Amino acid sequence: MTRSQDLVWNGIRREKLRLKCGSFYIAKDRASKPQGDDSHFIYGVGGWSKHGVDAGLYAAELINNSLLATLTQPLTQVDPMKVLDEAFSKTKAQGSSTACIITLQEGNMLHAVKVGDSRFMVIRRVEIIYKSPIQLHSFNFPYQLGNSANCAKPRQAQVIKVRVAAGDVIIAGTDGLFDNLFELQILATASKGIEQDLGAEEMVWEMAQLAYQPSRDKAAVTPFMEASKRAGRFRDGGKGDDITVIVSRILGA
């Protein structure tokens, strides 16, 4: 299809788009270097330490198996559900993990699967045009993939499709991001980056640092604090947690 033959859906021109990504991870007690670019993502968290299990091993194995699964599929036609299924079946470590896999496919479509409270939002200029739901059993108890009988399985994943356009920004992250920053804070930071034409790597650094500050502040007003009150727990301040943030910019051909 030539550029002159492009289609228009709801005011969005169909064209060949690309993802430019930047990611950053901040552990509870230290910051890491930015991670490399990719168009398919998965993040994991877990609370197994009190049982003597390093849940990071499960998440790391799941991530690695997900990457290997994407390599067997055409770049612009990666099926995130197939990726999750294959990665889950090959992950044998103890522990559990939330997950979110996002890929940009032909036709201006984001395809995603997610389990738990790792999630994403799509921002167009100064507006959130989509935000993914979360899966919780109860307050601070998200669905998690794992090999234990009480863990979620891929069939319980939420399957999501979102039409995007050049210039859109995708903010994806773990609960360490979304429990410490309100949506309006995320939107304001992303909109500022769009206005200044910042790269994904620059935007992700600012977003991660912005989330880290309230995570260490016991007096901060945060989404986590408000959610705890609604659940009758009354926990003040931010949520001290690992923070994974991925910022992606949708670019035209």
Side-chain angles (χ1 to χ4, degrees):
M1 179 178 290
T2 65
R3 183 59 58 88
S4 62
Q5 294 173 310
D6 286 348
L7 301 178
V8 175
W9 295 313
N10 299 324
I12 300 175
R13 181 169 296 278
R14 179 178 179 175
E15 58 180 320
K16 187 176 181 180
L17 302 179
R18 298 178 294 121
L19 273 176
K20 177 65 175 178
C21 311
S23 61
F24 205 87
Y25 169 75
I26 302 179
K28 290 182 181 180
D29 300 312
R30 68 183 188 280
S32 78
K33 296 180 180 179
Q35 306 300 307
D37 292 347
D38 204 330
S39 58
H40 316 92
F41 328 117
I42 186 166
Y43 349 99
V45 294
W48 287 71
S49 58
K50 61 184 179 182
H51 302 293
V53 175
D54 181 357
L57 296 178
Y58 182 91
E61 189 176 340
L62 189 66
I63 290 170
N64 186 61
N65 287 332
S66 297
L67 174 60
L68 293 176
T70 67
L71 299 178
T72 65
Q73 301 185 39
L75 182 61
T76 59
Q77 299 177 30
V78 172
D79 184 334
M81 192 69 243
K82 289 182 179 178
V83 170
L84 186 62
D85 272 328
E86 183 175 335
F88 177 80
S89 67
K90 294 182 177 179
T91 301
K92 305 303 181 183
Q94 284 187 287
S96 60
S97 174
T98 65
C100 181
I101 305 175
I102 308 169
T103 183
L104 176 63
Q105 297 194 5
E106 295 178 336
N108 297 17
M109 295 295 294
L110 284 184
H111 287 216
V113 294
K114 59 176 297 300
V115 176
D117 56 1
S118 288
R119 51 191 173 126
F120 69 97
M121 60 174 57
V122 180
I123 295 171
R124 184 169 297 155
R125 293 184 291 276
V126 294
E127 181 184 2
I128 298 172
I129 65 167
Y130 179 79
K131 54 184 179 182
S132 64
I134 59 175
Q135 293 174 304
L136 295 175
H137 295 288
S138 59
F139 170 70
N140 208 28
F141 182 23
Y143 284 39
Q144 293 191 19
L145 296 170
N147 295 314
S148 299
N150 59 344
C151 286
K153 308 304 176 189
R155 65 178 178 273
Q156 296 171 267
Q158 297 168 317
V159 179
I160 299 166
K161 295 181 181 181
V162 184
R163 182 159 286 129
V164 293
D168 289 352
V169 170
I170 305 162
I171 309 295
T174 57
D175 55 337
L177 171 68
F178 292 103
D179 278 346
N180 287 302
L181 291 182
F182 290 99
E183 291 177 2
L184 288 179
Q185 292 175 290
I186 295 173
L187 175 61
T189 304
S191 296
K192 177 182 175 183
I194 293 170
E195 181 181 357
Q196 297 177 351
D197 197 28
L198 298 180
E201 297 88 349
E202 297 171 286
M203 293 176 67
V204 76
W205 164 255
E206 185 170 352
M207 196 75 68
Q209 291 298 316
L210 189 65
Y212 182 70
Q213 294 169 11
S215 77
R216 311 294 292 181
D217 185 353
K218 297 302 182 183
V221 177
T222 64
F224 183 73
M225 179 197 74
E226 293 191 349
S228 73
K229 289 183 177 180
R230 289 194 297 270
R233 303 294 183 87
F234 299 96
R235 296 176 62 172
D236 293 330
K239 182 181 182 183
D241 203 351
D242 297 337
I243 299 170
T244 297
V245 187
I246 299 173
V247 174
S248 306
R249 296 206 67 172
I250 304 289
L251 306 177

